[in-house]
Amino acid sequence: MLATHRHLALFRVGTYPPTRLLLQNFFIYSSADNGLLKMLPPCREPSFDYTRPNGRRPTHPKAPPRLLNTSSLGLWCGLGEDFVVVELSLYIPSNRLTVFADICLLRSSCTPGRQLGGRWESMRVEILSGDDPDEHELWQLSCWRTETIIPFGQWLCWVDYNRGILFCDMSELQGPPTISFLMFPVDKFPLTSNRIGTWSSRYRGVSVVSHGRELKFVNVTRQDDIPLGALKPGTGFTITCHTLDVLGWCSGMRLPWKVDYKVTSDELWHTNPQLPPNILMFPRVDIDRPDVVHFLYIEFGYANKNMWTVSIDMSTKAAESFSVYIDRKDSPQSDDGDFTMKKSMSPWPFLPCEFPEFLHLSRERR
């Protein structure tokens, strides 16, 4: 599963491990289709040519299907059954005076049966323009790497947890989308594009809450400056949550991020003595209760790590739950042994989504 938005889910089926003859098919699942997977038409748009001003190569009708980059592929759902699947990558010309987004997208055209209609399109869209672009923003974009893609309101958002968010406006489906860049409200940005020793995706999270009306950014800042591992004795961390002021941002506000709360580890450990004195990672705000943040607590020091899920009400600083997620001793013998072993070796954050609501499943906590 690559992405979800509202009642739709995007799946990829392909060969693994990757080979030179990689096969790749994409399917859309709708909660209204009684379990029917509909295949997207293959993308035959040529890859971008960076020697051409507009990046476009001539299209050949018999060209083999293009392999799309799944790490840069997002799904945005409009009203009804209309949706857009978008691949986005950045192009920085040698003069570095502006930055472009190279976009390949499919606008849906629903037809009966198992094959979806529609046509893939390629386009190059300028992100920053003007006589005097912000050099700091240009530098951040030149170091860009997409780490997650999130639909929010009328936008599809590409997130680099070291830099910020690219907002791709999907409200005008008949023409090229407009794209804006917003940096995160943090004090330090990496000085180079080198990702060695940077683990921002472990300590930061962007969440869409309140039925898609608010976007929140949670940042866990370590006091010991260790990139990854257990906290140094005598140190702690601070959790800060910001909410994006959408109206202020759209009207040109320079600092559209508003601070919701700032909580220290000492405050959490004082209120919740049952919490181990270690770092909390992978923050995600509860989509139904914006004051609650979910974390993973990882026991460092083992190849196959024990992990717990921790849910904290930030308004009261009280831990609502602390439960085992992965027990390395039981993982090989469990029914989901392969899954839990993989998660233990390479943990990733949970994927918040509205999809269960459209499946009419119970959302009560048990």
Side-chain angles (χ1 to χ4, degrees), residues 148-152 155-159 165-168 206 215:
T148 190
I149 306 167
I150 299 172
F152 167 55
W155 299 280
L156 194 54
C157 305
W158 279 257
V159 179
I165 306 175
L166 287 170
F167 291 84
C168 184
V206 174
L215 185 143

Side-chain angles (χ1 to χ4, degrees), residues 36 44 57 64 89 101 172 176 190 196 208 221 238 246 249 265 277 281 286 303 329 333 338 346 355 364-365:
L36 180 65
R44 299 190 183 277
R57 299 176 187 264
S89 59
E172 297 294 335
I196 297 176
V208 177
T221 305
T238 300
V246 177
W249 170 61
S265 53
M281 304 173 67
D286 192 292
K329 294 180 295 184
Q333 288 77 35
D338 291 341
S346 180
F355 203 64
E364 295 180 0
R365 289 171 172 80

Side-chain angles (χ1 to χ4, degrees), residues 44-55:
R44 299 190 183 277
E45 286 290 295
S47 301
F48 283 92
D49 183 351
Y50 296 114
T51 65
R52 298 171 182 264
N54 63 0

Side-chain angles (χ1 to χ4, degrees), residues 197-213:
T198 60
W199 298 91
S200 297
S201 61
R202 265 65 172 171
Y203 304 114
R204 295 173 180 171
V206 174
S207 303
V208 177
V209 301
S210 302
H211 301 285
R213 294 188 296 270

